[in-house]
Amino acid sequence: MLTVSRTAQTTRSGVIATPTLQARSVQGMGTFPEFGSRRPSAGPQDYTSRNFNYLMVAGTSVGGTAIAKNTVGTFLASLQPARNLAAVANLEVDLSIVPEGQSVTLEWRGKPLFVRHREQWEIDEAVNLPLDGLLDPQADSDRVKNPKYLILLGICTHLGCVPIGQS
């Protein structure tokens, strides 16, 4: 802290006040450090600066890795469907309520789902059908898990019609 005191000087023309600067120390503080000078090195075996730099690089790497992991995890979690949509996606059907030779139309994710309990002649016809005449040649055993039931998702390619269940 610097204080300015005025002292009076006498000259031929009169008294002139000239300011003088006095340095006072702040209570409880010693000398102020010199920030402009470098610390003297202990020689070629002084690794404190290098060790500090390595520590800073390692700490920044660990912090950056944690931030990147959380960012990627949050992004991937945002790609998952919401829990209420996932709950709607599951559909359990009691197949025992579908009588043989009949179909039931259900709704799954806003689309018609047809469940048909096939009779034996329908199963035999699907198994013995030649694959050459089909646009999408696939055996009946590849299309169904249980040959008694045929489960189809009814979506038309031009999205304008919905098949009628028993036709």
Side-chain angles (χ1 to χ4, degrees):
M1 184 169 161
L2 298 176
T3 60
V4 177
S5 66
R6 294 181 183 239
T7 59
Q9 291 181 345
T10 310
T11 63
R12 289 185 199 174
S13 61
V15 177
I16 299 174
T18 58
T20 60
L21 298 176
Q22 294 178 340
R24 291 178 37 189
S25 64
V26 178
Q27 180 66 28
M29 292 187 69
T31 59
F32 290 104
E34 294 181 22
F35 293 111
S37 64
R38 293 190 60 147
R39 190 181 66 178
S41 176
Q45 299 299 320
D46 185 19
Y47 298 119
T48 56
S49 177
R50 185 186 69 181
N51 292 343
F52 175 75
N53 289 339
Y54 284 164
L55 180 67
M56 291 304 290
V57 168
T60 305
S61 300
V62 168
T65 302
I67 290 171
K69 178 225 168 239
N70 287 336
T71 303
V72 169
T74 303
F75 174 72
L76 292 178
S78 71
L79 297 177
Q80 297 290 332
R83 289 183 183 173
N84 59 349
L85 296 177
V88 172
N90 296 331
L91 179 67
E92 293 184 14
V93 178
D94 184 14
L95 295 177
S96 64
I97 63 167
V98 182
E100 187 173 349
Q102 297 293 317
S103 296
V104 175
T105 304
L106 304 167
E107 186 175 342
W108 179 72
R109 291 187 179 180
K111 302 170 192 128
L113 180 74
F114 300 105
V115 178
R116 172 119 179 122
H117 189 165
R118 300 193 290 183
E119 295 178 9
Q120 187 60 42
W121 68 269
E122 292 174 308
I123 297 170
D124 294 338
E125 183 179 304
V127 169
N128 297 328
L129 185 67
L131 300 178
D132 297 337
L134 299 177
L135 293 175
D136 186 13
Q138 189 176 19
D140 188 56
S141 60
D142 296 334
R143 292 181 183 253
V144 295
K145 289 184 179 182
N146 184 353
K148 290 172 45 177
Y149 296 99
L150 179 64
I151 301 173
L152 301 171
L153 188 61
I155 299 176
C156 183
T157 55
H158 69 280
L159 301 174
C161 64
V162 175
I164 300 173
Q166 295 298 328
S167 60

